[in-house]
Amino acid sequence: MATASKPPRFGARGRVLELIRSTGPTSRTELAVASGLTQATISNVVKELLHDGLIGEVGQAASTGGKRRTLLRLSPDSRLGVGVLLGAEAITLVVCNLAGEMVSRMKTVGAKGMTPQEAVAAIARSVEFIVEDAADDAGRIVGIGLAVPGPIDRDNGFMTRALKGDLWEAWAGFPLLAELEKATGMSVAIDNDATAAAVGEYWLGAAEEAAAYACVYMSAGIGAGLVLDGTPYRGVSSNAGELGHISVDASGPTCPCGNRGCLELFASPSAIVSKAKLEAAAGNLDMAFTSNIEEDLGRLGMLGMRGDAVAHEILRSAADLLAVGIVSLVNLFDVGLIVLSGPAFVSTGSIYLEQVGQALARAALSRSVHPVKLELSFSTRDSAALGAAVLVLQEELDPRTRRSVSVSAGSGIPSVSWDPGP
Ligand SMILES: [Zn+2]
């Protein structure tokens, strides 16, 4: 069989690294037992990981009668990944290490009003700045994970969104990945912001114990990142989880996507702000508006929190509609946890938690079998950028995982999935 000559190198490397990472200081013997790999393979892989600086030797385990065993531990700062979240109102950059710790963070103006070429140049300048700030040795940076508002062509590295009048219309088909690689000289991986956020939530701790969960991500649009059986579910073309384009009114207005009565038409930040403007024009809401939807939504959220009945009602009705979508999502995938993340929840989170929580308790089909937990992200603004950095770190460490990065529950940190081969 042809497989007999196939070296297990990358699979073994990924698995050994994950074991060292998840179990803390451990010995070669323990690694062989836990992995099922031979001592000789473990010895070779460990030698390679030590050579690459990904792990280090940290003393010896107490003797149990035989030879003392040298302990190995992950060197978290040996590799760093840059995560970039491309947003209309803000571009967020983070640098994180192998343990998922954020080493540096910065926020710049959003891509709204920029051409894709201008945005790539701006991102490249910011990357240079943050890398200089975070790493004394740029060689530790493995690459850039770029989280973008979907839909995307992940394999070819561009956004495909071509909805008429959409903010991102000019970006459709622009070779984003290739241009950013050219501008920075680094390797770039692209992903949907909601999927990146779902991975980020695992590292942030909200989804630590859930094998199946969804991250409902609201920025300019509404999306969902799905993690099923511990692995991000992307669908055939990395466009799963378009929560904003499920219909909540079959006879409603036609959405630019072609569907009717899409959730996003009624419950996206711009739809909410438009409603607030109408109320303000009618004299029912005392609020000043800017040209920044995110900021306006933040102001509306603050008013609602402080007890303004009109602001609260606008947000409550939008949250009720989002809840309709979320109940459908839960019914379709039987997830045990929903995490709300994205800049739109920064000051509105508590209103959404209440409305969505009530809907899940009232209507989720699985509620009599298991509770469906609902949480607000620990970092609504940064989860997607962090997840993007994690994805590029994992891809770099184990090239065989380029299409199968997983976040195995229970190990304490996301892992690279391992295909032991036939
Ligand atoms: Zn639609």
Side-chain angles (χ1 to χ4, degrees):
M1 270 168 68
T3 49
S5 61
K6 200 199 288 179
R9 203 173 182 77
F10 283 124
R13 181 181 157 109
R15 190 171 197 201
V16 169
L17 189 62
E18 161 56 11
L19 279 169
I20 295 171
R21 195 155 51 165
S22 59
T23 56
T26 186
S27 69
R28 289 168 177 80
T29 308
E30 285 165 324
L31 285 171
V33 172
S35 67
L37 297 167
T38 66
Q39 282 278 6
T41 303
I42 291 291
S43 178
N44 284 334
V45 170
V46 165
K47 197 170 153 189
E48 190 183 292
L49 292 172
L50 282 167
H51 176 265
D52 291 347
L54 292 169
I55 60 170
E57 292 182 335
V58 285
Q60 296 189 315
S63 173
T64 51
K67 196 178 156 202
R68 284 170 74 86
R69 293 164 295 140
T70 303
L71 294 175
L72 305 160
R73 191 170 65 188
L74 183 76
S75 303
D77 292 322
S78 60
R79 296 291 187 280
L80 302 170
V82 181
V84 180
L85 170 63
L86 177 68
E89 307 290 7
I91 297 173
T92 306
L93 293 95
V94 303
V95 173
C96 88
N97 70 12
L98 285 177
E101 293 157 347
M102 212 181 285
V103 177
S104 190
R105 174 189 191 277
M106 69 182 280
K107 192 175 148 187
T108 67
V109 293
K112 189 174 70 178
M114 288 187 201
T115 64
Q117 290 86 349
E118 287 166 347
V120 164
I123 293 171
R125 281 195 301 275
S126 299
V127 166
E128 194 180 346
F129 184 82
I130 200 170
V131 164
E132 207 176 294
D133 176 63
D136 42 19
D137 167 20
R140 288 192 291 151
I141 304 278
V142 300
I144 301 166
L146 177 64
V148 302
I152 56 169
D153 181 334
R154 187 165 174 253
D155 287 340
N156 294 305
F158 57 81
M159 289 160 73
T160 62
R161 186 184 285 265
L163 305 185
K164 223 173 167 41
D166 187 285
L167 180 73
W168 301 102
E169 199 177 352
W171 293 65
F174 174 78
L176 194 49
L177 186 148
E179 289 299 315
L180 191 57
E181 284 192 334
K182 205 159 72 182
T184 59
M186 294 184 189
S187 75
V188 177
I190 193 169
D191 218 319
N192 183 296
D193 54 8
T195 302
V199 173
E201 289 307 331
Y202 187 90
W203 289 66
L204 287 162
E208 212 166 31
E209 286 166 14
Y213 65 91
C215 173
V216 171
Y217 191 81
M218 187 151 75
S219 182
I222 303 169
L226 292 159
V227 173
L228 306 175
D229 292 332
T231 306
Y233 176 74
R234 293 188 167 89
V236 172
S237 66
S238 293
N239 287 299
E242 280 289 350
L243 186 64
H245 294 280
I246 65 168
S247 180
V248 291
D249 181 359
S251 55
T254 303
C255 176
C257 77
N259 198 4
R260 293 188 74 167
C262 286
L263 177 62
E264 230 169 72
L265 295 175
F266 311 108
S268 70
S270 67
I272 296 169
V273 169
S274 296
K275 213 167 167 183
K277 281 180 177 169
L278 287 177
E279 293 290 354
N284 300 325
L285 180 70
D286 182 18
M287 181 181 147
F289 294 86
T290 68
S291 58
N292 185 322
I293 300 271
E294 234 173 79
E295 205 176 313
D296 288 348
L297 186 64
R299 288 181 182 189
L300 190 70
M302 293 303 287
L303 283 173
M305 294 275 289
R306 288 192 198 127
D308 184 297
V310 175
H312 192 276
E313 176 54 26
I314 292 169
L315 288 166
R316 190 200 58 76
S317 64
D320 276 349
L321 280 171
L322 182 65
V324 171
I326 291 177
V327 167
S328 298
L329 189 71
V330 168
N331 286 347
L332 279 173
F333 293 102
D334 191 21
V335 293
L337 168 71
I338 294 286
V339 186
L340 304 180
S341 191
F345 293 115
V346 170
S347 71
T348 63
S350 62
I351 297 171
Y352 279 88
L353 277 180
E354 195 176 334
Q355 299 310 120
V356 175
Q358 284 174 11
L360 287 172
R362 185 178 65 238
L365 274 172
S366 57
R367 67 189 186 279
S368 60
V369 185
H370 64 83
V372 181
K373 278 176 68 184
L374 174 69
E375 302 216 7
L376 186 64
S377 170
F378 293 128
S379 183
T380 47
R381 284 191 192 282
D382 291 339
S383 61
L386 180 69
V390 168
L391 286 165
V392 77
L393 275 167
Q394 291 181 334
E395 289 196 357
E396 181 62 27
L397 292 179
D398 193 343
R400 267 181 39 148
T401 68
R402 279 189 188 279
R403 287 293 169 263
S404 59
V405 177
S406 75
V407 286
S408 73
S411 68
I413 42 153
S415 71
V416 285
S417 68
W418 177 67
D419 171 12

